[in-house]
Each structure stands twice: as structure tokens, then as C-alpha cells.
Amino acid sequence: MTRTGKLPDVSIRSEEARLEQLVRELVETWSSTWTSKDTTAASKFYSKAPDLVFFDIGPIHVGWGQYRKNIEKSFEEIESLSLTLNEDLRVTVHGSMALTTATGRVSSKSEDDKSFDSNIRFTGVWEKKGRLWHLVHDHWSRSRV
């Protein structure tokens, strides 16, 4: 019971749980898309609003167009890429917005045989429009842990 003496609305809780599971599955699909280095496939996960800001381990990107262009340029030098998220993925849904956080690992090998391997932290802000969820902001950072 709540403080008002009313039973919590079970349908609201089950809808929140369903949305959290949906976003969790979406994040897992999204992360595997980056491993494939397929920016066309990754594109479906991002809002196309031109003024949105995305932070990755490298530069700041304004709008999906710039993000995609910068990432494709870096992919030209990368032979292989691996992105894995840990089991600590958290999803919080508030209406048409969702916040996702996770730790993970990113590894890459360049064509000149240089390797990069780092623990990472990831935060994603998702917005639902109609039936689709899109990232309106993401932030990657290296982690010492």
C-alpha cells in the first residue's frame, strides 16, 4: 500500500518493467552494432536532430551526421573493434525518456598493428517517439576500474 492507503497501480509497474526490458535489449543490440563498425546499422539508434551532442572517447560530436563522419574516418584505420558492456547495465525509464548506464570494455587493433584496450563507462539518454527509441545523447569515458 502507498501512504494514501491505495494499492500501487500494477499496470504502471508492469509497463515500466516492460519498457526497461525493451530498452535493455535495445542497448545490447546497439553495442553489438558498433562492434561490426557498421555506421549505417548504428544510425537507426540515433536521433537525427542536428544540435544534439555526443561524447565518445575522442572528440565531441554535434549531431549524428558529424558523429558518423568522424567515426567512419577513425574506422578507416581500425582493423578490428570489440565493444562489450558488463552485467551492470542499468535502465531507468521515465515516460518517453530512458537513462542507461553501464561499464564495459573497448578494444581495437589498427591496421598498423597498434592495439587499444580500455575499461569504459557509458551513459545513454534515450527518447521514445512513436514506437521507436533513439539516443539523444551518449557519453563514453575511459575508466581506471
Side-chain angles (χ1 to χ4, degrees):
M1 287 210 168
T2 65
R3 290 184 194 177
T4 62
K6 295 180 182 178
L7 291 173
D9 189 337
V10 175
S11 64
I12 291 173
R13 284 189 312 206
S14 63
E15 177 64 7
E16 287 173 352
R18 186 189 70 74
L19 288 174
E20 286 178 15
Q21 182 60 34
L22 176 70
V23 173
R24 181 176 297 278
E25 291 168 6
L26 189 63
V27 169
E28 290 168 1
T29 303
W30 162 85
S31 67
S32 66
T33 301
W34 277 121
T35 297
S36 72
K37 301 190 312 179
D38 182 352
T39 57
T40 299
S43 181
K44 70 181 179 182
F45 295 103
Y46 286 84
S47 171
K48 304 310 181 285
D51 58 341
L52 298 175
V53 176
F54 303 98
F55 299 115
D56 68 12
I57 294 173
I60 295 170
H61 313 281
V62 179
W64 169 247
Q66 184 185 67
Y67 195 177
R68 184 176 184 173
K69 180 181 171 187
N70 292 345
I71 292 296
E72 286 177 345
K73 185 176 180 183
S74 69
F75 282 172
E76 290 173 5
E77 302 169 9
I78 295 175
E79 183 177 296
S80 64
L81 176 68
S82 173
L83 168 65
T84 55
L85 296 179
N86 295 330
E87 296 294 320
D88 62 353
L89 173 64
R90 294 180 57 114
V91 178
T92 306
V93 177
H94 293 283
S96 64
M97 302 294 290
L99 174 67
T100 54
T101 59
T103 59
R105 188 153 199 85
V106 64
S107 303
S108 66
K109 184 175 180 183
S110 65
E111 292 183 0
D112 61 356
D113 221 24
K114 291 182 184 174
S115 295
F116 174 83
D117 191 43
S118 180
N119 290 318
I120 57 167
R121 293 183 182 123
F122 167 75
T123 301
V125 179
W126 300 76
E127 181 178 34
K128 183 179 181 188
K129 291 212 175 177
R131 298 181 67 213
L132 301 175
W133 288 90
H134 290 109
L135 278 161
V136 294
H137 175 74
D138 68 8
H139 187 127
W140 298 86
S141 61
R142 293 177 78 173
S143 171
R144 295 181 188 171
V145 179

